[in-house]
Amino acid sequence: MDRHLVDLLQRNGQTSYAELSKAVGLAVSSVNDRVRKLVERGVITGYHAHVSPEAAGLDLLAFVFIGWSDPEVAAPFLERIGSEPAVQEAHHVTGQWNYLLKVRVRTTRMLEAFLANVIKAIPGIQRTETLIVLSSAKETMALPTALPDWFK
Amino acid sequence: MDRHLVDLLQRNGQTSYAELSKAVGLAVSSVNDRVRKLVERGVITGYHAHVSPEAAGLDLLAFVFIGWSDPEVAAPFLERIGSEPAVQEAHHVTGQWNYLLKVRVRTTRMLEAFLANVIKAIPGIQRTETLIVLSSAKETMALPTALPDWFK
DNA sequence: AATGAAAGTTGTAGGGT
DNA sequence: ACCCTACAACTTTCATT
């Protein structure tokens, strides 16, 4: 039941309680209760308008691997990229690199500036490797709510 | 002006027109006009509830690189991962790999099943490399609306 | 937990500046 | 483009089962 509501709200965050009510077969006020509790419990963390990167002029998407040896680098690195809007994601990953960044900029010139003025400006960062995204076949923020058939 | 509205709606997709109106200094109906046009123009592509992966039981995030030689593999690969909820993103990237996937599952056992039953089940896929995400320091879908100071 | 109805807000469309 | 107004739709609360 809650899964169904979450599913619908992931797809369309503006779905009215009237519509949700019809879809799940509960009264409007019951739906209101359940959604409120989903937010209180932290299952639903927020509602956001999604913006087309291209419409915003951000035509270049890149993944940047970051490497360092000195563990002292981590704190200033995280602080810097945390306040950098061009960085959409920063993940601590296994393997030969420390971090993987997802970066959106306008052009290759701007990517170059990002690497030179933001990343290399952090003392101690030794290696980077950049992958340019040619096209994105899929990009969704909807999480699976049910177990897939290939895993039981 | 539109940038300001987009900014606010990216942060909170439930911001009322009354609040937007107060924030940008326009009448409610003007705000309504502008937001409607932003949606019509495709700048705002939709509104979505954001769900906590951990609350949904998806504790494992991984990036999976996929490689093949035969170009015939692309079509069936894209069709398969397009309909796979565990795959959040699929990017065609430069470098030694063809695609980079962002995958969310519950456990390492489920990741193993994904690689065996979904990826390796696609004929022609020759190489994969999986990076496990230990922690995500940043994960936002808010796009920058202004040019950064490190790029003029 | 779920329901129906009342009361308060908000979204939207119209005409006007 | 922007504003004001009015009505419809929606959200939220509350008493009840």
Side-chain angles (χ1 to χ4, degrees):
Chain A
M1 181 63 74
D2 280 348
R3 203 176 301 168
H4 196 171
L5 291 172
V6 167
D7 236 17
L8 292 163
L9 288 170
Q10 276 195 126
R11 277 199 254 287
N12 178 9
Q14 288 190 325
T15 315
S16 71
Y17 289 136
E19 285 176 80
L20 293 175
S21 163
K22 210 182 289 180
V24 303
L26 282 179
V28 171
S29 49
S30 306
V31 171
N32 188 328
D33 265 4
R34 279 177 176 274
V35 173
R36 188 172 40 73
K37 281 171 189 167
L38 283 168
V39 175
E40 277 171 8
R41 274 189 269 143
V43 177
I44 293 175
T45 57
Y47 294 84
H48 306 276
H50 192 217
V51 174
S52 157
E54 292 76 22
L58 299 165
D59 289 301
L60 186 56
L61 174 61
F63 286 93
V64 181
F65 288 96
I66 313 280
W68 61 71
S69 310
D70 182 359
E72 299 276 308
V73 175
F77 168 76
L78 291 174
E79 195 174 5
R80 183 65 189 85
I81 59 114
S83 63
E84 183 48 61
V87 177
Q88 285 215 286
E89 305 179 16
H91 305 280
H92 186 197
V93 288
T94 59
Q96 55 181 329
W97 300 97
N98 291 101
Y99 268 83
L100 172 59
L101 304 184
K102 185 178 176 184
V103 179
R104 271 191 206 277
V105 290
R106 293 173 176 272
T107 59
T108 50
R109 262 192 60 233
M110 191 166 167
L111 179 62
E112 188 181 18
F114 171 79
L115 291 169
N117 304 336
V118 179
I119 298 302
K120 287 184 187 164
I122 302 167
I125 290 189
Q126 292 168 329
R127 302 168 296 140
T128 70
E129 188 172 311
T130 302
L131 298 185
I132 304 288
V133 173
L134 302 172
S135 66
S136 295
K138 185 175 187 177
E139 204 164 8
T140 179
M141 46 233 71
L143 302 181
T145 50
L147 276 181
D149 52 1
W150 46 263
F151 185 74
K152 54 130 205 54
Chain B
M1 181 63 74
D2 280 347
R3 203 176 302 166
H4 196 172
L5 291 172
V6 167
D7 237 17
L8 292 164
L9 288 170
Q10 277 195 124
R11 277 199 254 287
N12 179 9
Q14 289 190 324
T15 316
S16 70
Y17 288 136
E19 284 176 80
L20 293 175
S21 163
K22 211 182 288 179
V24 303
L26 282 180
V28 171
S29 49
S30 306
V31 171
N32 188 331
D33 268 3
R34 280 177 175 273
V35 173
R36 188 170 40 74
K37 280 170 189 166
L38 283 168
V39 175
E40 277 170 9
R41 275 190 269 142
V43 177
I44 292 175
T45 57
Y47 295 84
H48 307 276
H50 191 218
V51 173
S52 158
E54 292 75 23
L58 297 164
D59 289 301
L60 185 57
L61 173 61
F63 286 93
V64 181
F65 288 96
I66 313 279
W68 62 72
S69 309
D70 182 0
E72 298 277 307
V73 175
F77 168 77
L78 291 174
E79 194 174 4
R80 182 67 189 86
I81 59 112
S83 63
E84 183 49 61
V87 177
Q88 285 215 286
E89 305 178 16
H91 305 280
H92 187 196
V93 289
T94 59
Q96 54 181 331
W97 300 95
N98 292 101
Y99 268 82
L100 173 59
L101 304 184
K102 184 178 176 185
V103 178
R104 272 192 206 276
V105 289
R106 293 173 176 271
T107 59
T108 49
R109 261 192 62 233
M110 190 166 167
L111 179 61
E112 189 182 17
F114 171 77
L115 292 169
N117 303 337
V118 178
I119 298 302
K120 287 184 188 165
I122 301 166
I125 290 189
Q126 293 169 329
R127 300 169 299 140
T128 71
E129 189 172 311
T130 302
L131 298 185
I132 304 287
V133 173
L134 302 171
S135 66
S136 295
K138 184 175 188 177
E139 204 164 9
T140 179
M141 47 233 71
L143 303 179
T145 50
L147 275 180
D149 51 1
W150 46 263
F151 185 74
K152 56 128 204 46

